[in-house]
Amino acid sequence: MYDTSGTAEPGLYIGTSGNGAFLYDPEKNSKVIYQTDVFDETSFLGEIVMNIFRDRHQRVWFATNNGICILDPRLQFFNNKIIGQSFFGRQIEKFGEVTSFYEKNGNMYFGVWPYKGIYKFTKSGNLLPVKGIISPQSNSTLSKSVYYFFPDKDQLWLCTDSGLIRWNEKTGESISYISSFVDSSINRSHLGFRKIISLDSDNFLIRTWNWGLLLFNKKQLRFTNHFIPKADDSTSLPSTNILDITALSNNDVYITTPAGLCRFLPGEGKFIRYAALNAGIDIVPLKKMNVDAQDNLWITSNTGLFYFDTHKKKFTQFTTADGLAMNICNRVYVDKKGKVWITTNVGISRFDPVSKKFLNFSSDDGLAVEMYDGALGPTEDNQILAGFTGGYTLIDPERNPLNENIPPVKIAQVKVMDKDFPYILTKEGEKIITLDHDQNFIQVSFSVLNFTNPKQNKLWYRLEGFDREWHLSETGNIIYTNLPPGKYKLKLKGANNSGIVNENADSLLISISPAYWQTWWFLSSVALLTASLFLLFVRRRINSIRKESALKQKISDTEMMALRAQMNPHFIFNCLTSIDNLIQNNEKEKATIYLSRFAKLIRNILENSKNITIPCWKDLETLQLYIELEELRCDKKFNFHIAIDPEILQGDYKVPPLIIQPFVENAIRHGLMNKTGDPKELKVSVHPENNFIHYKIEDNGVGRQKAAEYKKLNKSLHRSLGINISMQRIHLVNGKDNSVTITDLVDAYNQPCGTLVQVVLMNQN
């Protein structure tokens, strides 16, 4: 025996030796019996009670012959009535789904799908007989199912698959009314009626099964109008499939369809449409709805719960992201306190519009089943009835199902490298572990100490210094691997089944010592060594850049020297003198040709000097101009021939300007002009080979030895630098010295008969 006086459930809990336990209330002289029910897995466990204990959260613990049984007052929120059990035992699905109900004089009337007719029960659960038979008008096996009760004085109006029926329970008399707007002999689904609302004292608006809306006059007892979609009328009904209808306190009528929501204007017979969008994109088919005290609508759908402000004509969507248990919502009801109740495929949810929070209930919280798709509405004693297949659940909205106890969150175990690791308590009461750098596999187990539907407990963790955000833990087991050295704080928090969160839960300080290569002195040494190597690299790079700069300067100086060599003042003077002689001798045509070629040569040299490299064919064109001028200047005392491979003319071959001009000049001035007798021949040939350009300059002059003797004999004051400069340029381009070969030619008598210069130059494309 255990005394619970002064608690939410006052009285005496008494255990028996064979009949379970019961709660006895001395003041009311009443008792509540707790016994094993083979049909109910949440019923009392065992027959023999050996001990009873109540904890600080008002839970009553029973030690029985079959184990521990916990009676939690917070889980007594739902009163399940499995009325199908008395008919079919455990096969309650054969009873059908409670789709509608009506209450009168303490008796309950149920329409059950697909049962034919009406069930009538007393509140204690006794089945009562029902007078009268509802005559079917269709051949459907569901023709006698009742989908809606509409009380009207001493009679009931029933929505069935056999049309609209007026039924008098006292006399058992029933009359069916069939619409003349449709031919039910052709399509029997036209007989399906689902819901009635009153437009005024004389007229009903009736929702049909997939055939629009019907207007029925009670006085005339006939259907007076039929509303269906019209293709060319945007003010007509948007769909024949009507999912719900309801009326506000100002008699505004709203209708839900697969095309959204619409408002009916009875006086005009028109409909105003409002589209509900899922995530602001897709139009949502809307299902059942209910009106709150402010005349706003709460509407279910397969994409969440919708709130429609009838004043602002604006939708607000609530989904699982807001805390709803499931986005597939079936029915909705708003209680007197403004709380919104929603049935789903996974239980029942309650929404508080003020706090914007959901409470979700499942079979773990005491519900009979998970799937609730039947009737949902108030009873005469202000409870909420939720129908399901096999029975119904009564909910007392006055009771608070909220578990307001802040749940303790405690660390249960710490493991390091898969072995138990003890933590140390500091003076401040904090838990701390100190680890080496290689102890980097850490496991922490923690739990929320809440035993009221513990399946709905939630656990979070965050490692300060490592995690940026909180992480949800499904099991309460945390694993960290390869944590770098440092100090961390593992923070925990948890929530109970009602979402009450403990923000100041258990925590664990973790200190990981660094390895020697992670210490400051080692890192400083490495940084210093790296800096030294970097400085050495920078110095070497600077020296390399300086050498490269010096090389570029040398190339530039060489190019300028080459330009000056090309513009030999003696050559220019001789050319101008020759032009002057031609003019003096009145050989104007020759002077004009000479002057034109001379000007073109000078222009080419100046243009080409702007570029480091030019096309090979263009350089050879300039070389030919130079040879032609020399030929004219020497009064055509020598002949020349230039042979160019076609690939040179067509391909992408580039060379420094006038790279071989000094060799040609040397052949003419010192080889050919010192020769007596004819013929005097100059041959130049050019061809490519393996990305190199091969030049040959051959003359049949006096040879290098004789030319040197003539030069010494004449004591020329002009010091020719062209050959040396060109050889330096070729060396800079090719990067090697053996690119120029000069061969002295001899005849059959071993006498000098000319010179052959061979130049190999890398293509500069």
Side-chain angles (χ1 to χ4, degrees):
M1 182 183 297
Y2 195 91
D3 186 4
T4 59
S5 300
T7 67
E9 298 286 347
L12 296 173
Y13 281 99
I14 301 173
T16 71
S17 60
N19 293 311
F22 61 89
L23 173 62
Y24 175 68
D25 187 348
E27 293 184 4
K28 298 181 180 179
N29 192 26
S30 62
K31 63 180 180 181
V32 179
I33 299 173
Y34 303 106
Q35 290 180 330
T36 301
D37 185 349
V38 294
F39 298 110
D40 187 359
E41 295 180 356
T42 65
S43 65
F44 194 80
L45 180 67
E47 295 80 27
I48 303 173
V49 178
M50 291 167 281
N51 200 359
I52 305 174
F53 169 74
R54 182 171 64 90
D55 64 22
R56 59 192 178 95
H57 296 304
Q58 310 301 318
R59 290 182 291 260
V60 181
W61 299 62
F62 297 88
T64 76
N65 60 313
N66 286 335
I68 299 295
C69 181
I70 305 173
L71 181 65
D72 194 327
R74 296 181 187 83
L75 298 181
Q76 312 310 308
F77 186 61
F78 303 104
N79 184 5
N80 299 313
K81 303 290 186 180
I82 308 177
I83 52 180
Q85 180 178 306
S86 59
F87 294 91
F88 302 102
R90 288 201 168 192
Q91 295 179 309
I92 60 173
E93 67 278 359
K94 291 185 177 180
F95 177 77
E97 182 179 74
V98 176
T99 57
S100 60
F101 72 94
Y102 164 67
E103 193 174 3
K104 182 179 181 183
N105 300 326
N107 296 321
M108 302 289 292
Y109 298 78
F110 295 103
V112 179
W113 183 90
Y115 177 76
K116 299 179 180 179
I118 300 172
Y119 279 109
K120 180 180 179 183
F121 289 90
T122 64
K123 282 219 170 178
S124 59
N126 297 321
L127 182 64
L128 299 175
V130 177
K131 292 182 180 181
I133 297 175
I134 304 171
S135 301
Q137 299 295 326
S138 72
N139 294 329
S140 168
T141 58
L142 311 180
S143 61
K144 293 185 182 179
S145 296
V146 176
Y147 296 94
Y148 196 76
F149 295 91
F150 189 89
D152 186 19
K153 298 179 182 179
D154 294 332
Q155 56 192 3
L156 280 174
W157 293 89
L158 309 176
C159 288
T160 74
D161 278 331
S162 299
L164 179 65
I165 294 175
R166 185 176 61 171
W167 177 56
N168 189 311
E169 184 187 8
K170 289 182 179 180
T171 63
E173 179 187 4
S174 64
I175 303 174
S176 298
Y177 298 92
I178 307 300
S179 171
S180 60
F181 289 100
V182 294
D183 187 354
S184 57
S185 64
I186 298 174
N187 191 337
R188 297 187 182 278
S189 66
H190 298 169
L191 295 168
F193 291 0
R194 291 295 180 265
K195 188 176 180 180
I196 302 170
I197 63 169
S198 180
L199 290 181
D200 51 45
S201 59
D202 295 335
N203 293 291
F204 288 154
L205 186 65
I206 302 173
R207 170 195 162 218
T208 71
W209 168 246
N210 205 27
W211 202 247
L213 295 171
L214 287 168
L215 197 62
F216 183 78
N217 188 289
K218 290 192 297 179
K219 286 187 175 181
Q220 300 175 14
L221 295 177
R222 68 183 185 89
F223 293 93
T224 58
N225 207 342
H226 183 210
F227 301 98
I228 56 173
K230 297 177 182 178
D232 56 347
D233 188 357
S234 61
T235 65
S236 66
L237 195 63
S239 173
T240 57
N241 187 5
I242 310 300
L243 298 174
D244 201 4
I245 56 175
T246 192
L248 308 185
S249 61
N250 61 359
N251 291 327
D252 278 357
V253 176
Y254 281 87
I255 301 132
T256 54
T257 74
L261 182 70
C262 61
R263 181 162 64 101
F264 177 48
L265 306 176
E268 303 176 31
K270 295 182 178 180
F271 298 84
I272 301 175
R273 304 177 185 183
Y274 307 98
L277 302 179
N278 180 32
I281 302 174
D282 301 319
I283 295 178
V284 176
L286 299 178
K287 296 160 66 175
K288 305 300 181 182
M289 57 183 163
N290 199 242
V291 185
D292 63 19
Q294 289 74 40
D295 264 350
N296 296 314
L297 299 175
W298 295 88
I299 310 170
T300 63
S301 76
N302 287 343
T303 56
L305 176 70
F306 282 87
Y307 168 75
F308 182 71
D309 189 324
T310 58
H311 310 286
K312 298 180 180 179
K313 304 298 186 287
K314 182 180 179 182
F315 284 98
T316 304
Q317 185 180 15
F318 299 94
T319 65
T320 53
D322 303 295
L324 185 62
M326 187 183 195
N327 283 336
I328 298 177
C329 301
N330 298 323
R331 305 214 182 193
V332 61
Y333 171 71
V334 184
D335 65 27
K336 289 186 176 181
K337 291 188 175 182
K339 302 292 192 298
V340 184
W341 298 83
I342 310 105
T343 58
T344 72
N345 291 359
V346 294
I348 298 176
S349 297
R350 191 191 77 174
F351 179 65
D352 187 341
V354 177
S355 65
K356 298 291 189 295
K357 290 184 178 180
F358 284 91
L359 276 179
N360 300 311
F361 306 100
S362 66
S363 57
D364 293 327
D365 297 290
L367 289 175
V369 294
E370 299 289 335
M371 175 78 167
Y372 279 83
D373 194 20
L376 182 67
T379 63
E380 287 183 341
D381 55 359
N382 293 321
Q383 293 192 80
I384 300 171
L385 186 147
F388 59 87
T389 299
Y392 62 93
T393 296
L394 290 174
I395 307 168
D396 185 357
E398 295 297 323
R399 297 186 64 177
N400 182 16
L402 185 66
N403 183 358
E404 297 177 337
N405 295 314
I406 298 175
V409 182
K410 297 295 182 182
I411 294 174
Q413 187 181 40
V414 178
K415 284 187 175 184
V416 177
M417 306 306 292
D418 216 21
K419 294 181 180 180
D420 287 340
F421 197 93
Y423 52 77
I424 299 172
L425 284 175
T426 65
K427 293 181 180 180
E428 293 78 16
E430 290 187 304
K431 298 171 182 175
I432 184 171
I433 57 173
T434 303
L435 308 174
D436 292 332
H437 71 278
D438 55 352
Q439 293 177 304
N440 53 11
F441 185 75
I442 305 169
Q443 298 169 273
V444 179
S445 299
F446 69 107
S447 59
V448 176
L449 303 182
N450 168 61
F451 300 99
T452 301
N453 194 4
K455 290 182 180 179
Q456 290 194 3
N457 291 344
K458 290 186 178 179
L459 309 96
W460 296 273
Y461 66 93
R462 181 167 72 96
L463 188 63
E464 287 187 348
F466 187 81
D467 294 326
R468 292 185 177 181
E469 299 178 350
W470 287 89
H471 301 285
L472 178 66
S473 173
E474 297 292 340
T475 62
N477 295 317
I478 307 168
I479 296 177
Y480 282 99
T481 60
N482 298 322
L483 283 176
K487 293 185 177 181
Y488 306 93
K489 186 174 184 179
L490 179 62
K491 300 189 72 175
L492 310 173
K493 65 180 181 179
N496 63 18
N497 61 304
S498 293
I500 302 299
V501 179
N502 184 351
E503 299 280 358
N504 300 311
D506 217 347
S507 62
L508 177 67
L509 297 175
I510 303 173
S511 178
I512 303 178
S513 303
Y516 75 88
W517 61 82
Q518 296 172 313
T519 57
W520 68 268
W521 58 265
F522 181 84
L523 295 175
S524 299
S525 302
V526 171
L528 183 61
L529 178 61
T530 303
S532 301
L533 293 174
F534 178 74
L535 288 174
L536 179 62
F537 170 77
V538 169
R539 291 186 63 179
R540 288 190 175 183
R541 180 60 180 157
I542 290 173
N543 291 335
S544 174
I545 292 173
R546 285 176 177 172
K547 288 181 180 180
E548 187 178 341
S549 178
L551 181 62
K552 289 181 178 179
Q553 184 62 41
K554 187 174 181 180
I555 293 173
S556 177
D557 293 344
T558 305
E559 296 292 343
M560 289 303 298
M561 292 171 67
L563 179 62
R564 288 193 292 271
Q566 294 161 17
M567 299 294 291
N568 190 319
H570 290 280
F571 166 74
I572 296 173
F573 176 78
N574 291 335
C575 286
L576 293 175
T577 301
S578 298
I579 294 170
D580 182 61
N581 289 336
L582 291 171
I583 295 173
Q584 293 296 332
N585 294 330
N586 203 25
E587 297 182 71
K588 296 181 180 180
E589 185 176 350
K590 287 184 178 181
T592 301
I593 294 171
Y594 202 128
L595 183 61
S596 174
R597 291 181 180 179
F598 177 73
K600 186 175 182 180
L601 174 65
I602 297 300
R603 183 172 65 250
N604 281 4
I605 291 173
L606 293 176
E607 285 181 357
N608 294 343
S609 67
K610 298 176 183 178
N611 303 309
I612 297 175
T613 61
I614 61 173
C616 185
W617 64 266
K618 193 171 185 180
D619 184 59
L620 293 173
E621 180 184 81
T622 304
L623 180 67
Q624 182 170 342
L625 279 173
Y626 167 75
I627 296 173
E628 289 174 352
L629 285 173
E630 286 284 25
E631 183 188 33
L632 288 172
R633 187 178 66 81
C634 297
D635 202 18
K636 294 189 177 182
K637 292 180 179 180
F638 69 90
N639 299 320
F640 73 93
H641 176 71
I642 300 177
I644 304 173
D645 192 296
E647 188 176 344
I648 292 291
L649 300 174
Q650 298 170 5
D652 186 18
Y653 293 90
K654 292 185 178 180
V655 296
L658 286 179
I659 191 71
I660 65 168
Q661 182 269 339
F663 299 105
V664 174
E665 178 184 353
N666 199 60
I668 295 172
R669 294 185 60 191
H670 301 293
L672 298 178
M673 291 300 99
N674 287 327
K675 180 181 178 180
T676 58
D678 293 321
K680 299 175 183 179
E681 301 285 343
L682 173 66
K683 298 178 181 178
V684 179
S685 65
V686 187
H687 72 276
E689 185 177 332
N690 297 329
N691 204 38
F692 284 88
I693 303 171
H694 292 256
Y695 294 91
K696 287 184 181 180
I697 303 102
E698 183 180 352
D699 68 79
N700 63 348
V702 297
R704 286 192 296 172
Q705 184 178 355
K706 284 286 185 181
E709 291 176 359
Y710 283 125
K711 186 175 181 180
K712 186 176 181 181
L713 183 65
N714 294 333
K715 296 181 180 180
S716 174
L717 297 177
H718 173 65
R719 182 184 177 189
S720 177
L721 302 175
I723 295 293
N724 290 334
I725 293 172
S726 284
M727 293 183 73
Q728 289 182 42
R729 294 173 72 196
I730 293 168
H731 169 68
L732 292 172
V733 170
N734 291 348
K736 56 183 180 179
D737 292 328
N738 58 349
S739 300
V740 179
T741 304
I742 301 177
T743 305
D744 294 316
L745 303 177
V746 295
D747 58 15
Y749 304 101
N750 203 29
Q751 294 297 315
C753 64
T755 306
L756 173 64
V757 180
Q758 293 175 291
V759 178
V760 179
L761 188 68
M762 183 183 292
N763 184 15
Q764 300 298 296
N765 62 349

